[in-house]
């Protein structure tokens, strides 16, 4: 009887442990997809990602125009770690997974949990 109880507890412990690196369940993440419009190093490393913009739009707009565009369209300013910041360039299409809380401002701000480059 004690062996069965011990095996049950071990099995329960294994099931309850999360396999992902962040300790968060995959259902907790929200996915956002768009083009990297700006890279900024101010209060951390950040990527401005806009959903409904093209590479051509990005290359033809000034930084101020991009920021105004982002404030009125589906966009996020993602806080990223050094590795993502170094390897991702303006104009790339990416997928970003994030979780709450989201800082509300003209452009929503949140930390990126995972980034995948879709198109260079």
């Amino acid at each position: 009887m004690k062996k069965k109880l011990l095996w049950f507890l071990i099995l329960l412990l294994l099931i309850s442990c999360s396999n992902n690196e962040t300790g968060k369940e995959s259902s907790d993440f929200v996915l956002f997809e768009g083009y990297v419009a700006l890279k900024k190093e101010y209060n951390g490393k950040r990527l401005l990602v806009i959903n409904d913009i093209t590479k051509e739009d990005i290359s033809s707009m000034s930084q101020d125009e991009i920021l105004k565009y982002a404030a009125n369209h589906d966009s996020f300013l993602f806080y990223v770690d050094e590795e993502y910041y170094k390897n991702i360039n303006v104009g790339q299409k990416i997928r970003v997974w994030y979780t709450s809380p989201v800082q509300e401002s003209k452009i929503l701000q949140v930390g990126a949990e995972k980034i995948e480059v879709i198109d260079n």
Side-chain angles (χ1 to χ4, degrees):
M1 182 67 173
K2 288 182 181 183
K3 270 189 171 179
K4 286 183 182 180
L5 180 60
L6 180 62
W7 280 110
F8 175 75
L9 292 174
I10 291 171
L11 182 61
L12 183 62
L13 178 64
L14 290 173
I15 291 172
S16 66
C17 290
S18 175
N19 288 336
N20 62 36
E21 296 172 7
T22 62
K24 297 177 183 172
E25 297 297 323
S26 61
S27 61
D28 294 339
F29 295 106
V30 179
L31 173 65
F32 185 79
E33 190 173 299
Y35 284 94
V36 178
L38 290 175
K39 290 175 72 172
K40 311 250 330 145
E41 281 192 68
Y42 177 76
N43 287 339
K45 298 184 179 346
R46 302 183 290 174
L47 302 174
L48 175 61
V49 181
I50 305 173
N51 178 270
D52 54 347
I53 197 169
T54 64
K55 286 183 188 182
E56 294 75 25
D57 291 335
I58 294 167
S59 62
S60 68
M61 298 168 106
S62 70
Q63 182 172 325
D64 286 341
E65 290 172 324
I66 289 171
L67 290 170
K68 286 178 187 174
Y69 185 91
N72 295 305
H73 291 84
D74 197 13
S75 63
F76 276 90
L77 193 56
F78 289 104
Y79 292 92
V80 298
D81 65 26
E82 179 75 30
E83 195 66 27
Y84 284 132
Y85 192 81
K86 285 189 324 189
N87 294 320
I88 294 175
N89 299 309
V90 170
Q92 288 183 309
K93 188 169 188 178
I94 62 174
R95 286 187 183 117
V96 184
W97 285 265
Y98 67 93
T99 59
S100 296
V102 175
Q103 297 175 7
E104 293 193 28
S105 62
K106 287 184 180 179
I107 301 170
L108 298 175
Q109 302 176 45
V110 68
E113 296 289 338
K114 177 184 172 185
I115 299 177
E116 175 185 307
V117 176
I118 301 170
D119 182 26
N120 290 319

